[in-house]
Structure formats: C-alpha cells, structure tokens
Amino acid sequence: ASGTSGGSSGSPVVDVDGDVLALNAGASSAAASSFFLPLDRVQRALDLIRKDLPVPRGNLQTVFNKLPYDELNRLGLQRSTEEQLRRERPGQVGLLVVDQVTPEGPAEGELEPGDILVRVNGELVSDFVPLEEILDGSVGALVTLELQRGGLTRIVDITVEDLHGITPDRYLEISGAILHDLSYQQARHLNMPIQGCLLYTSPSPR
C-alpha cells in the first residue's frame, strides 16, 4: 500500500529506520499498491561487485508463474507430491508453473506451458529465489528438472544460458533511428526467437 509513482522502478524501498527492504518493481494504476522484488539476488550481486568479480545470470528463456495448490491440482499435480510439500514446506502455498517458453530457446521441446516444476537438481523448489540461485550458479551447465505434466512425472536436462549473452550492450543510431540486437525481454513479449535487430524510430515532426 505504498502507492509509488511512475518512474520509481528499481528504486530501493526504505523503512522508517532507513533499512532497505526491497526494490520497487511496478505499481497498479487502479489502486494504491506497488510490487517489490526481494533483495536476495541484489545482495549477491553487490557482494560480487565488491570483490571485483563478474555477476553471472542464468536463464532458461522460460517464464514461470507461481500457482496455489488448487490450481496445481487441475494441472495434474500428484497428491503424494502435494502431501510431501505441505509436510516439508508448511509455509509454502504452491509451486512454480511454466507459463511461456521462448521459441528456439534452450527449453523448447522440453518444457511446455502448464508444466509443474517440482525439483531442480534433486532439490525441492517451490519459489522464485531458490530457482534463480540455482540458475545463476549453473551458467553453461546442465540442470535437471523434475516436472509433472498431466499427472505424470518427467525428468529433463536443460543447459542454462547466460542472460548477459542475450542482452544487448550496444546500439547503432542513424538519423534518429536506433538499431540493436533483439533482446530476450523483447523476444519474450513478442513470442519469437532471439534473432535479428530491433528498430526504434522517432516520430516525424509536424
């Protein structure tokens, strides 16, 4: 209920004691509410930068959403899996589910929308931060994902991609137009492979 204004994305969220609690990620224009990112991966990046080390970012070119157990049951979550999760992770209320797979990405043909992610490298993963931690530490390596699809268990191995490698770091400006390689973020929104260039043009003067 912070009601932050536009342009605040990426800003620290500070409490009355001056402690940073999160990063501002967005807001709802229909209500006085905002959405914050946890500091786990930010702290990791800060620690690496202080040591003058690179900050690897792993990526599967896949978008995950977190869904509650009642939705997961409709997607085919096995009852034994839910019972185990409720027993071992009582504070959790659901699991991550594949929402989108970028065409020609490392997960194409292995993951499909609706796949329920249960384990990564044999470890139960029920939230975004643990998944990101594993991916960030596995750039260029294989990770083993245990999924459930329609009540059946599937095991797949996928190579983790370097997010920096599919994020443009240069551009070309010509007569008011800007060209740069298509980024993963843009390809994800357009649901197309990461290939070719993106062109921005300024509106013609009137």
Side-chain angles (χ1 to χ4, degrees), residues 14-95:
V14 183
D15 66 9
V16 293
D17 297 320
D19 295 324
V20 178
L21 306 178
L23 289 185
N24 191 312
S28 171
S29 58
S33 59
S34 298
F35 306 96
F36 302 146
L37 292 174
L39 295 177
D40 307 70
R41 311 315 292 152
V42 177
Q43 182 66 52
R44 162 188 174 267
L46 180 60
D47 292 341
L48 290 171
I49 291 171
R50 283 172 170 167
K51 297 176 183 177
D52 199 25
L53 295 173
V55 183
R57 294 287 307 279
N59 186 271
L60 298 177
Q61 291 193 35
T62 301
V63 177
F64 291 89
N65 282 337
K66 186 163 185 177
L67 296 180
Y69 288 122
D70 57 345
E71 295 287 342
L72 297 173
N73 291 331
R74 284 191 280 271
L75 292 173
L77 178 67
Q78 298 172 9
R79 179 174 297 181
S80 58
T81 302
E82 180 180 349
E83 291 174 349
Q84 180 184 8
L85 286 164
R86 288 185 180 276
R87 184 173 60 254
E88 297 184 11
R89 307 280 177 88
Q92 292 293 330
V93 295
L95 288 170

